Amino acid sequence: MALADPSHPTCTAARYAEGVQGGYSPNVPTNRKPRVTIDQVAQATGVSRQTVSRAINNKTEIDPETRQRILDAAQAMGYRPSRFARGLVRQDLITIGLVIADVLNPFFPEVTAGVLEAAERRGWQVVVYNTGSERRKELEVVDMLFDQVDAGVAFLLHHDAIAKATAGNLPFVLLDKGGRAPAVPGVRIDFEGGARRGLEYLIGRGHRRIAMLDDEAYLSAEAPNTRRELYLKVMGEHGIPVDINWIQPAHNSIDGGAAAMERLLSAHRDVTAVFAYNDLIAIGAQLRARALGLRVPEDCAFLGFDGLSIGELVEPPLTTLHIDKRRLGEIAVEQAALLLGGMSEDEIPEAVIEPQLIVRASA
Amino acid sequence: MALADPSHPTCTAARYAEGVQGGYSPNVPTNRKPRVTIDQVAQATGVSRQTVSRAINNKTEIDPETRQRILDAAQAMGYRPSRFARGLVRQDLITIGLVIADVLNPFFPEVTAGVLEAAERRGWQVVVYNTGSERRKELEVVDMLFDQVDAGVAFLLHHDAIAKATAGNLPFVLLDKGGRAPAVPGVRIDFEGGARRGLEYLIGRGHRRIAMLDDEAYLSAEAPNTRRELYLKVMGEHGIPVDINWIQPAHNSIDGGAAAMERLLSAHRDVTAVFAYNDLIAIGAQLRARALGLRVPEDCAFLGFDGLSIGELVEPPLTTLHIDKRRLGEIAVEQAALLLGGMSEDEIPEAVIEPQLIVRASA
DNA sequence: AATGTCTCCGTGAACGCTCACGTGAGCGGT
DNA sequence: ACCGCTCACGTGAGCGTTCACGGAGACATT
């Protein structure tokens, strides 16, 4: 039940080089051997830099025999061209930074897959950063980004991190810009449409006492919490009274969903449906509800958000609002490409991902 | 059921900037604006490079007023220091390459989490590459690695890719070196111990007709398939006759496991337990078995390998051999650090990860 | 008035590579 | 003997920074 929980209780004893463990000095750079340069190889083989360069880069205008001699020497001397020196002269090596909240949350690997694929098509490198949605980390990572990459594709929660990221001169694209940053290029996920479709589905099935399990991370962030507001809005539009205690904050994980569900049930056993912030929370909640003896969906229905594949594994399979996460990543890279190509931020076309209701069996 | 399957059937209609879609020219570099250099900023503000450098890098020996003036100008001009020029002069920026088979397979995000964390502790960057276990891609990625990073941490299946990777002068660490490359630094996962523990557990519970669902990727790779061999070995040691058709190749995914299980059942309905190559395959197999009316574990027991968190979601929760994947990633980075520190390959201490049997309910 | 000490700023060199040239040797054709 | 061409290789410059200096001016000290 610890899908997003790193400290898995059952994972123990990885024995690693018993006793020698201490041999790993955490941060001492030790005796870094100085770089072997192209000139050294040239000198050792009695040719010029340029000839070595030709050998290394598999170019023409070089005697095959000489090439082999140089290659052998380079290999023996431990020579490897410096990517910095190379990058300095050839301007076509592009690296983008992908900033995500948590690799362990299955949402992000899917986005990453899209980004990786789109980047590979262009021959770009992708460096990945994890923030854990912590404000401090987000700010830190944004700083790194400016130094290390040519463009940023990021999932950022905290508005000051977003502000910092977009203030600089770095081409920057937001994954899920969620209404909060209209001027910034990025992809918008239409939560409004999604939440509306989902809730109206529940309401249409006769549900009135619909609880909401919200992501607690949004409480600390100063971002507008659209999913929660939308819940209140849609419920209001249908004239359904909402008990404010139906809304429970949950940690963004399966365990978090379970805990929140337990809190909810202890106070409001009478809810007939749960609308969760995302699938992870929904799954945890549903699992816990079943463990506590509730039948799903008869006693309580569950509706998730994100459309994670793992929603198909639980019993009953989770009904959810599916987001095409892979496409999300791809579009973000496409936008980054436009930015890199010289397009100004406000010329970037609007990108919207529309969540689709997938009715499985939990609601 | 498509956890490792990118083309999710239910994911449709992501409308993106209707009609404008064509605006994204796939690979045309368009009019890339030339880089603004430090000298241009210097000239524009009437100071020298060095003073601009001081302003940008927040150093002393500069009038606060001048600094602000420069900073403003730099911002306005769209100046951003070149990471290449910087890296060339300061030798302390390290980037490692992480090569994995498939981000969508939950095994790898966990490894990635460990790598990311360990790298961050050292202030290293991590660029991620996906191979899909394809030979062509693996070879391609290894080539990239040489150009782009200071050290490689990789999961490689094909022995020629491994050979290529270790032949060069790049510090290189194998995630799961699985016996096949004794000289290469890397982490060994003790499959023998794990498989033995798992199989003996099954045998101890009275199972005799134990099938094996193997990863088909190993059939094309020329790597020794240890899990399969171990299965034969351990069964042999216990004097249990094995029908060779009990071994079914499966695509490394939930769907693959399901399909393989169906094939297995059509030929050998009498098996009482299934030992899967990994959890993904085990989950798919178990799901399909239940869908076909079998009771788990009464009619057929299931044993996985990897200890994925999602194994806890299925019904009944999957019994498995848990691998501490996060630690795996961490150790690999530690080894890379040693290599980078100048330690020779054969001085790297042996690293072994010991799979732990987690008995849940499927076996 | 001469000397010392700050503070602020500039200059040359170096980092390791590739690109656009230049060069000399060898060879065939006229 | 001359020209022209090809092949193999070398030279100078430049990519955009930072580092180790050096130096001018302001101000206080002797």
Side-chain angles (χ1 to χ4, degrees):
Chain A
M1 254 208 228
L3 204 64
D5 181 355
S7 61
H8 197 288
T10 45
C11 87
T12 50
R15 106 179 116 83
Y16 174 35
E18 284 126 340
V20 200
Q21 190 112 356
Y24 286 99
S25 41
N27 236 331
V28 187
T30 57
N31 54 330
R32 179 85 112 286
K33 39 190 171 188
R35 190 169 254 299
V36 178
T37 74
I38 198 173
D39 287 292
Q40 293 175 31
V41 178
Q43 191 153 6
T45 48
V47 297
S48 70
R49 289 170 275 147
Q50 182 58 19
T51 305
V52 176
S53 175
R54 282 192 263 256
I56 297 291
N57 298 334
N58 229 344
K59 297 220 171 170
T60 60
E61 303 193 18
I62 184 176
D63 187 347
E65 206 171 293
T66 313
R67 152 173 300 141
Q68 195 51 53
R69 215 183 68 233
I70 294 176
L71 252 28
D72 290 345
Q75 163 80 20
M77 298 173 68
Y79 170 71
R80 219 158 38 80
S82 148
R83 70 169 181 285
F84 293 122
R86 238 185 206 171
L88 197 54
V89 54
R90 331 196 327 218
Q91 310 284 44
D92 57 342
L93 312 173
I94 293 187
T95 300
I96 65 172
L98 170 62
V99 181
I100 58 179
D102 181 12
V103 238
L104 295 180
N105 177 337
F107 183 87
F108 293 104
E110 283 202 51
V111 178
T112 305
V115 169
L116 249 38
E117 200 190 305
E120 204 216 302
R121 271 201 295 267
R122 300 191 130 76
W124 296 0
Q125 313 283 310
V126 179
V127 331
V128 177
Y129 304 84
N130 218 340
T131 68
S133 293
E134 289 173 44
R135 208 178 76 98
R136 195 184 51 75
K137 278 292 240 8
E138 285 194 354
L139 289 167
E140 233 177 81
V141 163
V142 168
D143 268 336
M144 299 240 79
L145 239 45
F146 278 84
D147 286 0
Q148 308 285 358
V149 302
D150 301 304
V153 168
F155 187 92
L156 292 174
L157 198 58
H158 300 273
H159 85 290
D160 44 356
I162 295 178
K164 192 175 191 178
T166 52
N169 293 309
L170 187 71
F172 207 89
V173 176
L174 242 35
L175 296 160
D176 179 22
K177 61 181 227 175
R180 65 191 151 212
V184 182
V187 185
R188 191 167 67 79
I189 300 170
D190 182 17
F191 288 123
E192 169 136 15
R196 187 174 297 278
R197 262 191 296 281
L199 284 169
E200 287 179 351
Y201 170 75
L202 289 178
I203 293 167
R205 307 266 295 188
H207 292 288
R208 289 298 175 270
R209 293 188 301 282
I210 304 172
M212 157 116 202
L213 264 33
D214 199 21
D215 182 355
E216 65 179 17
Y218 275 91
L219 301 178
S220 64
E222 305 83 348
N225 180 349
T226 44
R227 276 180 238 201
R228 176 208 197 106
E229 283 166 9
L230 287 170
Y231 161 79
L232 292 171
K233 181 175 168 190
V234 175
M235 292 295 272
E237 283 172 10
H238 285 79
I240 302 177
V242 172
D243 184 329
I244 196 67
N245 290 318
W246 286 352
I247 304 181
Q248 287 285 339
H251 179 251
N252 190 350
S253 67
I254 292 185
D255 286 338
M261 189 67 202
E262 193 154 342
R263 281 199 309 278
L264 176 67
L265 283 178
S266 69
H268 293 277
R269 188 105 196 171
D270 60 339
V271 298
T272 66
V274 169
F275 177 45
Y277 176 82
N278 64 17
D279 281 0
L280 236 38
I281 293 174
I283 288 171
Q286 174 173 314
L287 245 35
R288 182 60 54 91
R290 298 230 315 166
L292 293 173
L294 269 67
R295 291 168 307 162
V296 178
E298 295 82 357
D299 296 331
C300 185
F302 287 85
L303 176 61
F305 210 121
D306 279 356
L308 300 186
S309 310
I310 59 170
E312 306 179 57
L313 303 180
V314 294
E315 199 120 315
L318 188 67
T319 294
T320 186
L321 292 151
H322 181 269
I323 296 171
D324 191 341
K325 299 161 283 294
R326 183 186 266 277
R327 183 97 186 92
L328 173 62
E330 285 174 4
I331 294 176
V333 172
E334 283 167 9
Q335 292 188 330
L338 290 180
L339 248 22
L340 237 24
M343 188 179 280
S344 83
E345 303 189 348
D346 38 82
E347 288 175 308
I348 303 290
E350 260 289 286
V352 178
I353 296 268
E354 202 62 62
Q356 301 289 327
L357 178 67
I358 299 185
V359 177
R360 296 203 273 240
S362 72
Chain B
M1 259 210 226
L3 204 64
D5 182 353
S7 61
H8 196 291
T10 47
C11 87
T12 50
R15 109 178 113 83
Y16 174 36
E18 283 127 340
V20 200
Q21 190 111 353
Y24 285 100
S25 41
N27 236 331
V28 187
T30 59
N31 52 331
R32 181 84 114 286
K33 39 189 170 189
R35 188 170 255 300
V36 178
T37 74
I38 198 172
D39 287 293
Q40 295 175 30
V41 179
Q43 190 154 5
T45 49
V47 296
S48 71
R49 291 170 275 147
Q50 183 57 20
T51 304
V52 176
S53 176
R54 280 192 265 257
I56 298 290
N57 297 334
N58 230 342
K59 297 217 170 171
T60 60
E61 303 193 17
I62 185 174
D63 188 346
E65 206 170 294
T66 314
R67 153 172 298 139
Q68 195 53 51
R69 212 183 70 232
I70 295 175
L71 251 31
D72 290 345
Q75 163 78 21
M77 298 173 67
Y79 169 71
R80 217 158 40 80
S82 147
R83 69 169 183 286
F84 293 123
R86 246 191 198 163
L88 196 55
V89 53
R90 331 193 331 214
Q91 310 283 45
D92 57 342
L93 312 173
I94 294 186
T95 300
I96 64 172
L98 170 62
V99 181
I100 58 179
D102 181 11
V103 239
L104 295 180
N105 178 336
F107 182 87
F108 293 104
E110 282 201 50
V111 178
T112 305
V115 170
L116 249 36
E117 199 190 305
E120 203 215 303
R121 273 201 295 270
R122 300 190 130 79
W124 295 359
Q125 312 283 312
V126 179
V127 334
V128 178
Y129 305 85
N130 219 340
T131 69
S133 293
E134 290 172 42
R135 208 179 77 97
R136 196 185 50 76
K137 278 290 237 12
E138 285 193 355
L139 289 167
E140 232 177 80
V141 164
V142 169
D143 268 337
M144 298 240 80
L145 239 46
F146 277 85
D147 286 359
Q148 307 285 358
V149 301
D150 301 303
V153 168
F155 187 92
L156 292 174
L157 197 58
H158 300 272
H159 85 289
D160 44 356
I162 295 178
K164 191 176 192 177
T166 53
N169 293 309
L170 187 71
F172 207 87
V173 176
L174 242 36
L175 295 160
D176 178 22
K177 60 181 227 170
R180 65 190 149 211
V184 182
V187 186
R188 191 169 65 81
I189 300 171
D190 181 16
F191 288 123
E192 167 135 17
R196 189 174 296 278
R197 262 192 295 281
L199 284 169
E200 287 179 350
Y201 169 77
L202 289 178
I203 293 168
R205 308 266 296 187
H207 292 287
R208 288 298 174 271
R209 293 188 300 282
I210 305 173
M212 158 119 202
L213 264 33
D214 200 19
D215 183 353
E216 66 179 17
Y218 276 91
L219 299 179
S220 65
E222 304 83 349
N225 180 352
T226 44
R227 279 181 234 200
R228 176 209 198 105
E229 282 166 8
L230 287 169
Y231 161 78
L232 292 171
K233 181 174 169 190
V234 175
M235 293 293 272
E237 282 172 11
H238 285 78
I240 302 177
V242 172
D243 184 330
I244 197 66
N245 290 317
W246 287 351
I247 305 182
Q248 287 286 339
H251 179 252
N252 190 348
S253 67
I254 292 186
D255 285 337
M261 188 67 200
E262 194 154 340
R263 279 198 309 278
L264 176 66
L265 283 178
S266 69
H268 293 276
R269 189 105 196 172
D270 60 339
V271 299
T272 67
V274 168
F275 177 46
Y277 177 81
N278 65 17
D279 282 0
L280 236 40
I281 293 174
I283 288 172
Q286 173 173 315
L287 246 36
R288 182 58 55 90
R290 298 230 314 163
L292 294 173
L294 268 68
R295 292 168 307 160
V296 178
E298 295 82 355
D299 296 332
C300 185
F302 287 86
L303 176 61
F305 211 121
D306 280 356
L308 301 185
S309 308
I310 59 169
E312 306 179 57
L313 303 180
V314 294
E315 198 117 319
L318 187 68
T319 294
T320 187
L321 291 152
H322 181 269
I323 295 171
D324 191 341
K325 298 161 284 296
R326 197 189 185 87
R327 182 97 187 93
L328 173 63
E330 285 174 4
I331 294 176
V333 172
E334 283 166 9
Q335 292 189 330
L338 291 180
L339 247 23
L340 238 21
M343 188 180 278
S344 82
E345 303 189 349
D346 37 84
E347 288 175 308
I348 302 290
E350 258 291 285
V352 178
I353 296 266
E354 202 61 61
Q356 300 290 327
L357 179 67
I358 300 184
V359 177
R360 296 203 274 240
S362 71

